[in-house]
Amino acid sequence: AAAPGVWRFGHRPRPPREPDRIPGRSLLSGALISFLCGWLVWSLCFNGYLGSYWLWPLDLLTPASWAKGDSMPAVWASNIYVLLFTALLVVVFGRLGRWAEIHRRWIAPALSRVWAEIHRRWIAPALSRLRSDDAAGTQPAPEPGADPVEWPELRSGGAPDAAERLAAESRAGRMTDVDHARISRAWQSVRSRPERLPAFTDTVLRQGAAACAHPSGARDLPYRTAPHDLVARQVRLGTVADGERNPYERRGAGFALSPELLGTSLLAVGPPGSGKTTRLVRPVLESLCLQALAGQAAVVSVGAAGSVPATDEVFDVVVRIGHPESAHDLDLYGGTTDPDEAAAVLAEALIGDLAAARTAAGARRAGTALAQLLGPFRAAYGRFPSVPELRELLDGSPAALDALRAALDGAGETAQARELDARERRSGRSDDACALLADRLALLDRPAFAGFFATGGDSRPFSLRSLEHPLRVRIDLPERGHAEASRILARLVLAQFTECVAGRADRSLFACLILDDASDTVTAEALRGIQRLRSANAGVLLTLRTLDDVPEDLRSALLGAVGCRMAFAGVTTWDGARFAEVWGKEWVEARDVTNRQIIADEPLTRVVHFVRRLVTGKAVTSESITVRQVERERWSASELAHSVPPEHAVVSLTTVRGEHAPPLLVNLRQ
């Protein structure tokens, strides 16, 4: 167990720090002086310069006949008393000189490093050879319940044969951390549904470590760029800086992210080149892809074409919007069959960034206008319209509307015909949203996107409703030459993700959306969707170059909607002010030191002060210290803008259970 964000593998909590840490020079000089004083007292006593007073306890506790005798009991009593007296001097002067602190600060770590090196070079190889000899000999094997490699949970759960096969695979080196996590996940499903036990045992006996494989057949990623711990489901991103700005118990500890943190969503803000993609997005994406191979997560990565930090073989589905060789298409309606739901999501993507759509009335009018067209079209043709067909309907094309009405009449859909009539009556009014929707939809009705967003025929649209399965999905946005269309598609994916994962029947898989560069993507409705993800075992990771890429009235709401916040080196002071506001203040101890020069009146004191001034170069002063409790910002805007070193970030964390970690300065290089 550890605090939120701590890399748990090999973690050892730091001991509590003394209130006042003594400087090393003062500690060493005090220890040397106490040693010399103890040596002096010991020498004076044993050479008789202090008389025989120190021997009085020996004379009082021993018989009088031993006082001048050379008998063996007298010699033993004298030697024991001398040892006890010497030990007493060591204890007294050791406490005065703080020898224990010297041992804890310098000697113990040095001995620990020496012992670790000895163990690595000589002891560990010798033990390894002994184990191999024991395994080859006739000595009995260890108890299966005492070794995790023996899979004791399978043995106690009624699958000893499967445990033996997996243990053999582990000892032979054919099992990876992904295999272990995947089979452990499969065993959890067997525990919840015991009727699966025979099939599980049969699969493990036939396939060994490759049992219960991911549908892609992959058992690992082609490469890894960060340390991963699939037992704790963590990825290490760096080290908490060993500085005064961080709590003492967190300094030097590894910094890691896991689903329990990403489940509250994460926002990272930093200028280009600060390390958002290489130091944050890439390791987190790797971790979630590994967890997907283990059957524990589903991940969707969205970014500009060529900017996603992973190759095609890492993913199960790659959607290249606008690329003619793309094997998959994006479902414009999110795989739903409900016209109202499809209309709400599509309206959010098309005009959710406009100020007119941030009000409840504006969003409702846009969603109603689309629903009045999508519902009749689906009732008439059994599918939703493609982009060109929907654009014609939004433009009010008489031919398209007449054909739709005729199809409705032929199908006997009178209710949907009334919806279409209501749409025609409202068209042309000043508050009608169809004209604005048609203008935005025209950005997707371009020759570059011909053949995409199709709803019939041989199209292969990918829907985010597939996230009930451990999928690895990458969506490339056509940012070059189609920047506005890319923003619409990014808002569409975000809206579909928040809608689909909240409606999953099976929420045991952690679902995460990684949106690299969420500029002009965050809307009021998106924030409401992000806040619902925590209870749906899902989260989003958003990166921004600056908070100015978010509408001003939504910036504070965005920082409040996410539980984890990262400010990279180089943020502006106005961005830093927003982070400083959300991180709040804390009570700290302020020490005011006042120095006052001492004016001596006696001649001897003046001479001493004069000599001291010649030696030190400073006047003799008296120091007055005032200690106060004051409330100050954890990180000020100026400190965030100018005091964060390169390849560092200030991070605050919140878990899905509500545990908090204060803002920490993290070194992302280590």
Side-chain angles (χ1 to χ4, degrees):
V6 172
W7 174 254
R8 300 191 179 194
F9 181 72
H11 172 65
R12 296 292 182 271
R14 299 187 70 173
R17 180 182 55 168
E18 292 81 5
D20 297 319
R21 183 178 174 88
I22 304 172
R25 179 180 296 180
S26 301
L27 191 62
L28 291 175
S29 60
L32 178 61
I33 292 172
S34 67
F35 173 75
L36 294 177
C37 291
W39 190 7
L40 177 62
V41 172
W42 182 84
S43 177
L44 292 176
C45 290
F46 279 83
N47 288 299
Y49 292 105
L50 297 181
S52 60
Y53 301 107
W54 66 285
L55 295 173
W56 282 359
L58 178 64
D59 297 336
L60 291 175
L61 297 175
T62 56
S65 60
W66 293 3
K68 296 182 179 180
D70 296 332
S71 62
M72 185 62 67
V75 173
W76 274 99
S78 177
N79 291 337
I80 292 173
Y81 181 78
V82 169
L83 289 176
L84 292 176
F85 185 78
T86 305
L88 178 64
L89 291 179
V90 171
V91 171
V92 171
F93 286 96
R95 290 181 63 86
L96 291 176
R98 292 185 171 88
W99 296 355
E101 174 66 15
I102 292 179
H103 180 271
R104 184 182 66 82
R105 194 180 296 186
W106 290 297
I107 299 178
L111 292 177
S112 178
R113 288 193 294 268
V114 171
W115 170 251
E117 185 65 19
I118 292 174
H119 186 274
R120 186 183 66 84
R121 287 192 177 186
W122 293 292
I123 299 179
L127 291 176
S128 178
R129 287 193 296 270
L130 287 175
R131 290 194 189 99
S132 61
D133 293 341
D134 292 342
T138 59
Q139 295 188 5
E143 288 293 329
D147 192 351
V149 177
E150 299 294 334
W151 293 83
E153 62 274 15
L154 269 67
R155 298 178 186 273
S156 61
D161 296 338
E164 288 289 348
R165 176 63 191 277
L166 294 177
E169 295 280 279
S170 299
R171 289 190 292 267
R174 293 190 294 268
M175 179 174 289
T176 66
D177 54 349
V178 179
D179 296 332
H180 182 275
R182 186 186 65 253
I183 297 174
S184 299
R185 163 80 178 181
W187 176 249
Q188 292 176 4
S189 66
V190 171
R191 294 295 300 271
S192 60
R193 299 183 63 179
E195 65 272 12
R196 296 180 177 178
L197 180 59
F200 173 81
T201 303
D202 179 68
T203 303
V204 171
L205 291 177
R206 286 188 293 104
Q207 301 179 5
C212 311
H214 187 265
S216 65
R219 296 171 57 188
D220 204 347
L221 297 181
Y223 54 87
R224 302 188 188 187
T225 61
H228 299 274
D229 180 6
L230 291 181
V231 176
R233 301 178 67 182
Q234 287 185 317
V235 54
R236 179 172 180 140
L237 301 182
T239 304
V240 179
D242 192 359
E244 293 295 329
R245 297 310 308 265
N246 290 324
Y248 176 77
E249 63 275 7
R250 298 295 295 268
R251 297 175 191 171
F255 173 74
L257 290 179
S258 62
E260 68 172 358
L261 295 170
L262 295 174
T264 62
S265 299
L266 186 148
L267 172 68
V269 179
S274 59
K276 300 188 300 298
T277 300
T278 57
R279 304 291 183 180
L280 174 64
V281 173
R282 178 180 296 166
V284 171
L285 180 59
E286 276 185 14
S287 176
L288 293 172
C289 287
L290 288 172
Q291 293 178 41
L293 292 179
Q296 299 172 339
V299 59
V300 180
S301 177
V302 181
S307 66
V308 178
T311 54
D312 292 356
E313 60 267 21
V314 175
F315 298 95
D316 305 312
V317 177
V318 178
V319 181
R320 297 185 179 92
I321 301 177
H323 196 286
E325 297 180 0
S326 177
H328 293 85
D329 192 2
L330 180 65
D331 192 337
L332 197 64
Y333 303 99
T336 183
T337 58
D338 184 2
D340 293 323
E341 181 181 343
V345 172
L346 188 55
E348 165 70 12
L350 292 176
I351 63 171
D353 60 322
L354 300 180
R358 290 182 208 152
T359 63
R364 186 173 59 253
R365 283 195 297 267
T368 302
L370 279 172
Q372 289 174 339
L373 295 175
L374 296 181
F377 194 96
R378 180 171 181 79
Y381 300 107
R383 60 178 178 84
F384 286 122
S386 63
V387 171
E389 292 170 335
L390 181 58
R391 183 184 178 187
E392 287 185 356
L393 294 174
L394 289 173
D395 284 332
S397 171
L401 292 174
D402 292 342
L404 179 56
R405 182 176 291 102
L408 289 173
D409 293 339
E413 295 284 349
T414 56
Q416 296 295 345
R418 287 197 300 271
E419 282 283 284
L420 188 59
D421 293 338
R423 172 88 295 276
E424 289 185 340
R425 287 194 302 271
R426 195 169 184 83
S427 63
R429 295 178 54 174
S430 59
D431 59 348
D432 186 20
C434 280
L436 184 57
L437 291 170
D439 289 342
R440 284 300 184 90
L441 192 64
L443 297 171
L444 302 181
D445 188 18
R446 303 295 301 163
F449 305 133
F452 282 84
F453 316 118
T455 57
D458 298 332
S459 62
R460 297 181 58 191
F462 170 76
S463 169
L464 294 183
R465 295 192 179 275
S466 303
L467 294 182
E468 291 187 351
H469 307 285
L471 288 176
R472 302 168 295 167
V473 183
R474 192 184 82 192
I475 300 177
D476 293 344
L477 302 178
E479 185 145 334
R480 291 187 178 181
H482 302 279
E484 191 62 33
S486 295
R487 299 187 187 102
I488 292 174
L489 294 172
R491 288 194 297 271
L492 178 66
V493 173
L494 179 58
Q496 289 184 0
F497 179 82
T498 56
E499 189 71 27
C500 293
V501 298
R504 290 183 300 171
D506 182 9
R507 297 183 178 182
S508 60
L509 287 180
F510 175 73
C512 185
L513 172 66
I514 299 178
L515 188 54
D516 199 4
D517 190 8
S519 303
D520 297 320
T521 303
V522 178
T523 64
E525 186 61 32
L527 291 180
R528 286 188 283 270
I530 290 173
Q531 291 174 333
R532 296 194 300 266
L533 294 179
R534 182 182 302 190
S535 60
N537 193 22
V540 297
L541 190 158
L542 307 174
T543 66
L544 290 170
R545 296 185 181 92
T546 173
L547 287 175
D548 290 342
D549 293 334
V550 178
E552 185 175 0
D553 57 332
L554 298 179
R555 294 170 192 169
S556 298
L558 172 60
L559 289 171
V562 297
C564 303
R565 310 167 188 93
M566 293 185 69
F568 282 77
V571 297
T572 59
T573 52
W574 42 92
D575 283 348
R578 294 282 185 177
F579 280 97
E581 181 182 2
V582 75
W583 282 333
K585 300 180 180 181
E586 63 178 343
W587 288 97
V588 297
E589 186 179 87
R591 299 167 64 93
D592 298 330
V593 181
T594 304
N595 291 321
R596 180 178 61 85
Q597 185 175 355
I598 299 176
I599 306 299
D601 297 329
E602 299 180 1
L604 181 60
T605 307
R606 288 184 178 181
V607 171
V608 172
H609 287 188
F610 176 74
V611 173
R612 183 173 175 181
R613 185 171 184 177
L614 288 178
V615 173
T616 62
K618 298 179 181 179
V620 180
T621 60
S622 64
E623 189 176 86
S624 174
I625 301 177
T626 303
V627 180
R628 297 179 294 117
Q629 291 288 333
V630 298
E631 193 177 21
R632 291 181 179 172
E633 291 179 325
R634 298 178 184 269
W635 280 85
S636 67
S638 179
E639 289 172 335
L640 288 172
H642 305 294
S643 300
V644 180
E647 297 188 9
H648 286 62
V650 181
V651 190
S652 67
L653 304 171
T654 304
T655 68
V656 293
R657 296 188 302 271
E659 298 176 280
H660 295 272
L664 304 171
L665 179 62
V666 178
N667 184 353
L668 300 175
R669 290 194 302 262
Q670 300 178 355

